[in-house]
Amino acid sequence: MAILFDQYFPCDALVQMGKDFHHRGWMAGTAGNLSARDVAQPDSFWVTASGNPKGQLESTDFLRIAIDGGKVLETPLEENKPSAESSIHQVIYQLFPEARCCLHVHTVDACIASERCAAPMLPLPALEMLKGMGMWLQSPEVTLALFDNWLEVPRIAAEIEQRFSQQAPDISALMIRQHGLTVWGESLQQAYNRLEIMEYIMSYMARRD
Amino acid sequence: MAILFDQYFPCDALVQMGKDFHHRGWMAGTAGNLSARDVAQPDSFWVTASGNPKGQLESTDFLRIAIDGGKVLETPLEENKPSAESSIHQVIYQLFPEARCCLHVHTVDACIASERCAAPMLPLPALEMLKGMGMWLQSPEVTLALFDNWLEVPRIAAEIEQRFSQQAPDISALMIRQHGLTVWGESLQQAYNRLEIMEYIMSYMARRD
Amino acid sequence: MAILFDQYFPCDALVQMGKDFHHRGWMAGTAGNLSARDVAQPDSFWVTASGNPKGQLESTDFLRIAIDGGKVLETPLEENKPSAESSIHQVIYQLFPEARCCLHVHTVDACIASERCAAPMLPLPALEMLKGMGMWLQSPEVTLALFDNWLEVPRIAAEIEQRFSQQAPDISALMIRQHGLTVWGESLQQAYNRLEIMEYIMSYMARRD
Amino acid sequence: MAILFDQYFPCDALVQMGKDFHHRGWMAGTAGNLSARDVAQPDSFWVTASGNPKGQLESTDFLRIAIDGGKVLETPLEENKPSAESSIHQVIYQLFPEARCCLHVHTVDACIASERCAAPMLPLPALEMLKGMGMWLQSPEVTLALFDNWLEVPRIAAEIEQRFSQQAPDISALMIRQHGLTVWGESLQQAYNRLEIMEYIMSYMARRD
């Protein structure tokens, strides 16, 4: 049976994803953060510590953070500091109790695909790939929620919380303009698969026009 | 002598191809399916089970399916379910008795290259690479058959069956709009080579215009 | 000291290059051919046998061919057949006695970069990279020789022989339209380096416009 | 803890970076040079010897050079010759005492992104990625210094010295037109991260327009 990311300890799976995404150019510099809900204590999640290059992570480069309030609950290394972007992961786990994994990356394609759209929702092309986002429809009309990029990341998190608590997004993904995609899933494997799908769609949009 | 994919047990060869194509971005999410005709029982074929990430396959993630009727004949794992897209593989093996392997992938380039063409046949540029599709001609005029994408995959399969039984395609490949390429060959290696060639041509078309 | 390709037995070095170039998408299908002059018998050269996938070569998948006349002199495997494109390699070794290695690949970028030029010579941009082709000049004005693609490969070879025997090319490279680049060098490593440089320049030209 | 490049002997770290950057196509042919300040003798730096393919380096393919004057102080191999471009590294270490590593690569994206700008400063888009260059601002207005490419590399170095000693650059990077990026950092890891970030930004600019 296919070896899924969920068969590993979450931080080990995220280390593998970090190498994979860095290799693809989706986590250049030290960009992005990867997180997974803790299985035993599902009111907390493990997230990459701030400032590490994501292609060179070890399984100790994570912190466990409380979904409610954001307190650091546990870390293998004292020097690990949470990234400001952890607040976005918190909001996702709060809003979507079924979310088990949340992946945030920075890609050129997603920045290009979204910059031409001034509206808060980016209409996506009716590609077959949308089935992988759960849209089993003929010619689906799906939008991706776009958010403005603020220096103060908690402001981005607050805007996500506000908009999504009023209206659920079409798909388990969002885009921060000139910044990057965030994708979540009900398993680590689903989050991984869906990030690939969203990047595929962003690449199509960036190159088609 | 070059180690060809046909020297392996078919499912092992398809596992290798899955890793290869996933790495290239041709099987993002869990997209696509790979199949090979069974050597001992050539009225059936092995095809990837539904829902697995194609870069993480094991040799057990396949089902053997009857070409006539589509019944599942054998599977190493009880939980394996055939993909709806298996019906397209069935039609290919029915129409082309010499086909031994059929590969279906989803690529950005092929979607872009084909979307500008409203006709049911996409004229291909006269690239030297067409020799690899069996077209040994000066300035060959070759077309790629385009099919509409339907939510009900058997409808796509039926349209392929209908059109190709009336008129054989120029080359052993077809494209489903906004979806992806399907390529077949008289051996696993030929199918692999020809998929590479079709992607090369699609990439040229997507980027040239 | 850097381990150069010339430190290996020529066919072993070409096997490595085949895997490398196939991985980059420069030898899709079974496209292209790689050759190296025999050190002990420099009036002959080893060249890839026809029809093999270039990413899966073994060191036995080569033939030794006489530069004058093209007779097959030696092969580890009886089934090895020379490619029609061997005639181009022959001409290069005839015209350039210092050439020790000749690499022919098919790339999308080179096809796109050259197709906009109707003239027989393609002017290259004055990139720093031209130093690697031996052009140590401020703002060098360098051209790449373009040849038409003929189904009969010996006709291409004859046109190369005719033009280059009248006027030597600016650089050790040529392009066959809608087909691919051929690059040669005074060592295996130089040919490898120069193929990389030409592809860099073709990629720049294909994408800039 | 993430294994950073600074945990290796500098030349070993630069060998790894050479393989990495070559694989990405940033050091085609024998292009580019990589250097790191010597820890014990910080008035000197180790830099790649001239003419080697950067994907095949060994830890002996370096020379130690005096920052003041450029004299070769030490080399594991007698045949190692400094590249003319070492003069640019010298100037960077002179101007920026905190610089510990300097990376110069040739990329298609950076050449395309900069060629449309006639001014000596290229305005960069306000991407989130600029945080990785130390710009923690809302909608930062950052420029990249552009320099003309001269056959005599010391002339480029002199122009860098002249301009930067009058006005410090916004970020630890510069671009030589039609040639390539130079990026430096206070550690090997920071230089590596920042080169990735600059390439990300150049790729965005080259493809957006």
Side-chain angles (χ1 to χ4, degrees), chain D residues 118-140:
Chain D
M121 306 297 272
L122 177 69
L124 301 183
L127 296 173
E128 171 72 9
M129 289 301 261
L130 283 170
K131 280 188 187 164
M133 299 303 289
M135 308 306 291
W136 291 75
L137 295 163
Q138 180 72 30
S139 303

Side-chain angles (χ1 to χ4, degrees), chain C residues 118-183:
Chain C
M121 306 296 272
L122 177 68
L124 301 183
L127 296 173
E128 171 71 9
M129 289 301 262
L130 283 170
K131 281 189 186 165
M133 299 303 289
M135 309 305 291
W136 290 75
L137 294 164
Q138 180 72 30
S139 304
E141 295 186 11
V142 178
T143 58
L144 173 66
L146 300 183
F147 292 89
D148 287 329
N149 195 28
W150 300 107
L151 182 62
E152 302 79 21
V153 183
R155 181 168 169 187
I156 307 173
E159 292 185 1
I160 293 168
E161 201 278 333
Q162 189 178 9
R163 201 197 306 178
F164 282 177
S165 59
Q166 284 172 11
Q167 171 147 28
D170 289 353
I171 50 176
S172 63
L174 64 89
M175 173 72 199
I176 307 168
R177 291 171 195 279
Q178 300 190 295
H179 183 150
L181 277 174
T182 299
V183 174

Side-chain angles (χ1 to χ4, degrees), chain A residues 112-123 144-148 163 177:
Chain A
I112 292 176
S114 58
E115 77 178 353
R116 297 172 191 134
C117 175
M121 305 297 272
L122 177 68
L144 173 66
L146 300 183
F147 291 89
D148 287 328
R163 201 196 307 176
R177 292 171 195 279

Side-chain angles (χ1 to χ4, degrees), chain C residues 23 32 83 90 164 169 173 208:
Chain C
H23 184 74
S83 157
Q90 266 177 264
F164 282 177
R208 179 193 55 181

Side-chain angles (χ1 to χ4, degrees), chain B residues 110-142:
Chain B
C111 287
I112 291 175
S114 57
E115 78 178 352
R116 297 172 191 134
C117 175
M121 306 296 272
L122 176 68
L124 300 182
L127 296 174
E128 171 72 9
M129 289 301 261
L130 283 169
K131 280 189 186 165
M133 299 304 289
M135 309 306 291
W136 291 75
L137 294 163
Q138 180 72 30
S139 304
E141 294 187 11
V142 178

